[in-house]
Amino acid sequence: FECCEGTAIVLKGAKHCLIAASTIRNVGDYHGSGVSIDGGLHNGVAGCDIHDVGSHGVSLSGGDRKTLTPAENFADNNYIHHMGVFYKQGVGVAMNGVGNRASHNLIHDGPRMGIMFSGNNLVLEYNHIRHVNLETEDTGAVYTGGRDWISSRGTVIRYNYFHDILGYGRDASGKWVSPHFAWGVYLDDNAGGVDVIGNIVVRAPRAGLHLHNGRDTRVENNVFVESRLQQIEYSGWTKDHRYWTNHFTTMVKGYEMVAHQPAWQKMRNMHIHPKDAVLPDGKIMTGNTFHRNIIYYREPTAKLFSFRNLPLDHYQ
């Protein structure tokens, strides 16, 4: 499939459809992707070569958030590269919704993240992501945000290999540089309830892992190698931080939308309402664990950990 202005293949509300062993190239304008799976049930893109795409390589969505009913849509064993030709937020796989999966994909050479995700009970596993973020900064190999308190709870990032994450932007003197300002696993803006297990993260310019006021996340059995500034970065907010005050109404709305749903009550620490999350000292970032990880680096000026506004008395 090639030479179309929009998205090459669109499945909308479909069931049990498979796009397999295809070459999808030179497609998509600013809004056009290689394949878009929008809703439906158990649809997939498998074993395809997807490259030179205007926006995303593959876009996945579907599932019901209130009930956590999965869509089971998937992108598996694809070779995706040179995406985001026109749309610089274009990524290898863009995942939304509930119960969808990106697995065994090789993703490289894009302007932004390898995989961008938001939703619940998503699975990112056995992917190889390298040489991404070639044109942007403040980014990662994989990325999610959680300004509504409930994203991307229940998601698992496991057994992936992320290396040479790069990043491109201006340094403190205004000079354009690369590598710059990028992480391996980037859980941004209050993202919570994610499992980061058994990954190998190598040569991220800022850190292998960033929790930006992240909560309730398990980081276990990973290998972090040779990040430039620090190996692990936790950046907490306080009750007076503008991100906390600006997004508080959205967080309360997100929490109260699902908190009493039976499926959500099984989620980690969902008994804590956003209004009850602030500690007496004004810090917020709790519920994370960091166990049995291996960290290796040689740069003498690099840090092992960088913690900001982290209530260490609440950590083991």
Side-chain angles (χ1 to χ4, degrees), residues 6 59 63-64 66 74-75 134 144 158 160 163 168 172 248 267:
S59 177
D64 183 83
K66 281 193 175 182
F74 63 91
L134 301 183
T144 190
R158 62 190 176 201
N160 301 282
H163 67 95
Y168 178 74
F248 184 75
M267 285 280 194

Side-chain angles (χ1 to χ4, degrees), residues 138-170:
D138 193 8
T139 179
V142 296
Y143 173 92
T144 190
R147 295 181 180 183
D148 62 358
W149 191 264
I150 57 175
S151 297
S152 287
R153 291 179 180 268
T155 292
V156 178
I157 305 170
R158 62 190 176 201
Y159 314 135
N160 301 282
Y161 180 30
F162 305 142
H163 67 95
D164 298 292
I165 309 307
L166 301 178
Y168 178 74
R170 290 184 176 180

Side-chain angles (χ1 to χ4, degrees), residues 4-313:
C4 65
E5 184 178 6
T7 298
I9 303 171
V10 178
L11 303 178
K12 188 169 184 178
K15 296 182 179 179
H16 304 284
C17 294
L18 180 65
I19 310 300
S22 299
T23 297
I24 303 167
R25 64 189 181 194
N26 301 320
V27 299
D29 56 12
Y30 188 80
H31 301 289
S33 300
V35 179
S36 172
I37 298 177
D38 182 2
L41 179 67
H42 205 267
N43 304 291
V45 185
C48 294
D49 289 357
I50 303 173
H51 63 89
D52 294 284
V53 179
S55 183
H56 307 310
V58 176
S59 177
L60 299 176
S61 67
D64 183 83
R65 194 167 209 191
K66 281 193 175 182
T67 63
L68 292 179
T69 302
E72 298 182 346
N73 294 324
F74 63 91
D76 180 71
N77 195 37
N78 300 290
Y79 180 28
I80 304 172
H81 60 97
H82 294 89
M83 55 283 180
V85 172
F86 299 116
Y87 178 55
K88 297 310 176 184
Q89 295 273 11
V91 301
V93 179
M95 302 175 66
N96 293 281
V98 178
N100 299 311
R101 168 172 53 92
S103 54
H104 300 98
N105 300 290
L106 171 57
I107 301 172
H108 67 83
D109 282 87
R112 199 81 170 127
M113 288 79 75
I115 299 176
M116 178 171 58
F117 62 99
S118 181
N120 302 103
N121 295 346
L122 305 172
V123 176
L124 291 71
E125 62 182 5
Y126 300 104
N127 299 287
H128 180 179
I129 299 176
R130 63 172 179 84
H131 298 94
V132 289
N133 307 310
L134 301 183
E135 300 178 58
T136 59
E137 61 177 79
D138 193 8
T139 179
V142 296
Y143 173 92
T144 190
R147 295 181 180 183
D148 62 358
W149 191 264
I150 57 175
S151 297
S152 287
R153 291 179 180 268
T155 292
V156 178
I157 305 170
R158 62 190 176 201
Y159 314 135
N160 301 282
Y161 180 30
F162 305 142
H163 67 95
D164 298 292
I165 309 307
L166 301 178
Y168 178 74
R170 290 184 176 180
D171 65 11
S173 69
K175 180 182 178 181
W176 289 97
V177 294
S178 180
H180 179 70
F181 201 12
W183 292 270
V185 177
Y186 189 180
L187 307 182
D188 197 13
D189 285 354
N190 213 55
V194 177
D195 289 356
V196 182
I197 298 174
N199 303 282
I200 300 173
V201 184
V202 182
R203 290 185 297 274
R206 191 168 175 99
L209 170 74
H210 186 206
L211 304 188
H212 190 193
N213 206 57
R215 303 176 53 84
D216 310 323
T217 287
R218 296 170 56 209
V219 182
E220 299 180 356
N221 300 329
N222 301 281
V223 179
F224 298 100
V225 178
E226 294 282 19
S227 290
R228 178 176 291 187
L229 294 184
Q230 52 263 325
Q231 311 312 302
I232 305 298
E233 185 172 2
Y234 286 9
S235 303
W237 301 343
T238 66
K239 65 179 179 64
D240 298 319
H241 193 292
R242 62 187 176 88
Y243 291 166
W244 181 258
T245 57
N246 288 350
H247 303 306
F248 184 75
T249 300
T250 302
M251 290 187 285
V252 169
K253 182 179 179 181
Y255 177 83
E256 293 182 348
M257 179 180 72
V258 300
H260 300 294
Q261 295 288 331
W264 276 91
Q265 293 177 28
K266 300 176 183 178
M267 285 280 194
R268 189 181 307 138
N269 291 339
M270 276 296 290
H271 63 285
I272 300 175
H273 193 290
K275 66 180 176 60
D276 300 321
V278 178
L279 300 172
D281 64 358
K283 297 186 180 74
I284 301 162
M285 188 175 170
T286 61
N288 303 299
T289 60
F290 188 88
H291 293 158
R292 298 181 302 277
N293 300 286
I294 296 172
I295 301 174
Y296 171 82
Y297 65 105
R298 294 171 294 178
E299 172 56 54
T301 62
K303 297 178 182 179
L304 175 58
F305 297 112
S306 176
F307 296 149
R308 185 167 66 250
N309 293 323
L310 190 69
L312 290 173
D313 56 332

